[in-house]
Amino acid sequence: MSDWHAPLSCSQERLLFVERLNPGIRAYQFQARIDLVGRLDTTALARALTDVVRRHEIYRTTFTDGPAGPRQLVHPPHPVELPVDDLRDAADPETAARAAIDEAIATDLPVDRLPLVRWRLLRLAEDRTVLLHLEHHLIHDGWAFNVFVEELCALYAAHVTGGSPPMPDAPPQFADFAVRQRAWLEGPEAEAQLAYWKRQLDGMPPYLDLPTDHPRTPKRRFLGDAPRFTVPAHLADRARALARQQRVSLFTVMLAAFEVLLHHWSGQKDFCVGSGMAGRSRPETHRLLGMIVNTVALRADLRGDPTFAELLDRVRDATFGALAHQDIPFDRVVTALRPPRVPGRQPFSEVLFSFHDAPLRPVSMPGLTAVVTPGLTNGSAKADLNVIAIPYAEQTAVGRGPQRQRDIEFIWEYDRDLFDATTIAQAAAHYERLLDAVTAAPRTRVSAVISQEAMK
């Protein structure tokens, strides 16, 4: 079997363009750790990872230039190298593991050579191991990572027990998706989706002017941090109850509260919040590894001082419209709108809010207890502010432990050249207080909620 070429998906094309404008940035690398408690069969794990690479072409793909521009280059299957760091004799194995993870994360993933997905085992004790997962966003999105975890569990179980994994022999391949997407873009449905976004964002201010701790510069460095904050279960459950009462999604409630925060922070009443949409409405994409996620610009309309319940209706309508028109690439929308370009700024998407709620079955491996922690920080930031909610109860019916985990974890990734850590911590605390206020009294006008918060 020899190498062969395929076109890029639109999301890949956009990301590769950003990377080439900013050589050396790590903002588009993804890191996760999988903690494994119990007796791990290292040989079975390496074989399972090799099977994943064999099954999915995207995990053996690099990116190169051709006569018609950048292309995917798909390579033949190969055995996975699984290096093992034995940290059992370290004074503090967990501290040593974190240092090893930081060192691995600091390593670049050049897009023109394999592998763009890497694994490393850190052995902390006889019955405790960490699997570090590193991959480039050119071959990754959040939904795909959850599919990877499910397949890894099934393949590991098959190698340990000698059984057959409960999955199809021929999974869908990303190159086929990219070809279909390119053909779709030439058709009438793509034109209709683009027309929707032109109407929806007509007259929108392209930038959200949050007050920053440090002045902007024309050249972004993509340096950041990503602290995690948790909305506790009792408050998350109140948000769920309000969503049921108002017949909206939990995402709508959490996003609306975030828009109230941004309105208070910036003073703007009409602005955009970017959000990542999975783009996996078609059945053939449900088990597909690769980068499909697309950014959409959700219009936040707080004009006329609505009640929070009224704002929920506006956010629901904007979200439904975005879901129905999520396939048109974000770059094409921006090009069609022709906003004034400002060096170092990203129109319609400087602040993002997304849910990482792609379905994830209980993580189960024979003889092991596994806990997955996605989104480890690597000291970078893709935008001014990128808030990612992880509602574990919505990902899986049983959560991550023996009891359902109902709290919601938030990753607040921010640009360190613009904001201080204390500002982001204060914003996260402010968001939680606003969420508490609006879920307790959703008929209160937004101005009253903000006034009450300002007096605290």
Side-chain angles (χ1 to χ4, degrees):
M1 184 183 293
S2 60
D3 299 348
W4 59 278
H5 289 84
L8 271 62
S9 74
C10 296
S11 295
Q12 288 176 326
E13 184 176 51
R14 178 180 181 228
L15 191 156
L16 193 59
F17 175 76
V18 173
E19 280 235 330
R20 288 179 169 177
L21 278 181
N22 304 275
I25 66 168
R26 291 199 297 273
Y28 293 99
Q29 294 178 193
F30 170 83
Q31 305 78 216
R33 65 181 281 174
I34 303 175
D35 286 80
L36 303 167
V37 178
R39 292 285 181 172
L40 173 68
D41 186 331
T42 305
T43 300
L45 181 62
R47 288 175 176 170
L49 291 170
T50 296
D51 285 347
V52 172
V53 172
R54 174 186 57 80
R55 286 169 53 80
H56 296 279
E57 293 170 354
I58 192 65
Y59 270 9
R60 41 192 168 88
T61 295
T62 57
F63 297 84
T64 186
D65 286 316
R71 304 281 286 177
Q72 299 185 67
L73 181 60
V74 181
H75 302 268
H78 58 269
V80 166
E81 295 183 9
L82 185 58
V84 180
D85 291 0
D86 192 341
L87 307 177
R88 288 175 292 180
D89 293 334
D92 184 346
E94 177 57 38
T95 299
R98 287 198 295 268
I101 289 171
D102 290 342
E103 178 186 7
I105 286 174
T107 303
D108 291 338
L109 295 175
V111 304
D112 60 349
R113 57 184 181 269
L114 292 174
L116 291 185
V117 56
R118 301 175 185 176
W119 295 280
R120 185 171 176 178
L121 271 183
L122 310 173
R123 192 176 295 282
L124 279 64
E126 287 298 322
D127 63 348
R128 188 174 172 214
T129 312
V130 173
L131 176 63
L132 178 62
H133 174 100
L134 307 172
E135 65 180 318
H136 200 286
H137 258 296
L138 281 166
I139 64 171
H140 157 91
D141 66 22
W143 183 297
F145 175 70
N146 285 1
V147 174
F148 157 76
V149 171
E150 289 182 17
E151 288 207 3
L152 178 64
C153 291
L155 290 163
Y156 176 82
H159 283 290
V160 168
T161 64
S164 298
M167 60 183 68
D169 291 334
Q173 298 298 337
F174 190 80
D176 298 327
F177 165 80
V179 170
R180 288 194 301 270
Q181 184 185 53
R182 293 290 175 180
W184 178 86
L185 286 171
E186 304 303 319
E189 187 179 351
E191 285 296 326
Q193 288 202 18
L194 184 58
Y196 165 83
W197 287 110
K198 289 163 120 179
R199 295 191 305 270
Q200 178 69 6
L201 302 180
D202 181 47
M204 277 294 303
Y207 302 105
L208 175 59
D209 290 317
L210 294 178
T212 61
D213 297 309
H214 309 285
R216 290 183 181 274
T217 58
K219 179 70 172 175
R220 293 194 65 212
R221 298 194 297 166
F222 296 91
L223 301 178
D225 200 358
R228 294 172 182 250
F229 304 93
T230 299
V231 169
H234 75 276
L235 180 51
D237 282 346
R238 283 223 323 255
R240 293 182 176 102
L242 179 60
R244 291 191 296 269
Q245 175 188 330
Q246 297 295 124
R247 298 185 178 182
V248 299
S249 66
L250 177 62
F251 172 81
T252 297
V253 174
M254 308 304 275
L255 173 59
F258 187 64
E259 289 180 356
V260 173
L261 172 68
L262 295 177
H263 164 57
H264 178 47
W265 197 354
S266 68
Q268 292 178 234
K269 297 179 180 180
D270 191 19
F271 52 88
C272 277
V273 178
S275 189
M277 293 285 177
R280 294 176 183 258
S281 57
R282 295 176 175 83
E284 64 269 20
T285 64
H286 292 177
R287 306 298 302 174
L288 181 63
L289 297 194
M291 186 186 185
I292 297 178
V293 66
N294 183 38
T295 301
V296 298
L298 299 172
R299 188 167 190 164
D301 182 3
L302 290 97
R303 293 171 296 183
D305 193 17
T307 66
F308 188 71
E310 291 169 341
L311 180 60
L312 285 177
D313 290 340
R314 299 180 187 183
V315 174
R316 177 198 58 208
D317 292 346
T319 303
F320 279 175
L323 284 168
H325 302 87
Q326 64 176 297
D327 298 316
I328 195 74
F330 181 65
D331 279 357
R332 297 208 174 191
V333 174
V334 174
T335 299
L337 292 169
R338 301 178 64 185
R341 295 290 188 159
V342 179
R345 304 199 67 172
Q346 306 174 63
F348 306 112
S349 62
E350 288 185 313
V351 174
L352 299 104
F353 184 91
S354 301
F355 254 33
H356 186 30
D357 60 349
L360 177 64
R361 294 173 185 169
V363 180
S364 176
M365 303 171 80
L368 297 169
T369 300
V371 175
V372 180
T373 305
L376 305 179
T377 182
N378 63 4
S380 68
K382 304 174 194 66
D384 293 3
L385 179 62
N386 180 21
V387 177
I388 303 169
I390 309 175
Y392 293 109
E394 279 65 35
Q395 279 189 333
T396 172
V398 297
R400 298 197 301 175
Q403 294 184 345
R404 180 168 173 160
Q405 182 169 331
R406 304 186 321 276
D407 53 4
I408 300 176
E409 187 173 38
F410 282 82
I411 302 173
W412 286 65
E413 182 184 277
Y414 68 95
D415 189 324
R416 285 192 282 117
D417 283 338
L418 296 178
F419 300 107
D420 293 332
T422 53
T423 298
I424 300 303
Q426 290 167 0
H430 192 175
Y431 174 73
E432 184 176 332
R433 293 195 301 270
L434 285 172
L435 185 65
D436 182 58
V438 296
T439 54
R443 304 296 171 188
T444 306
R445 295 201 175 275
V446 167
S447 61
V449 173
I450 290 175
S451 296
Q452 293 166 9
E453 172 62 26
M455 295 176 64
K456 294 180 181 179

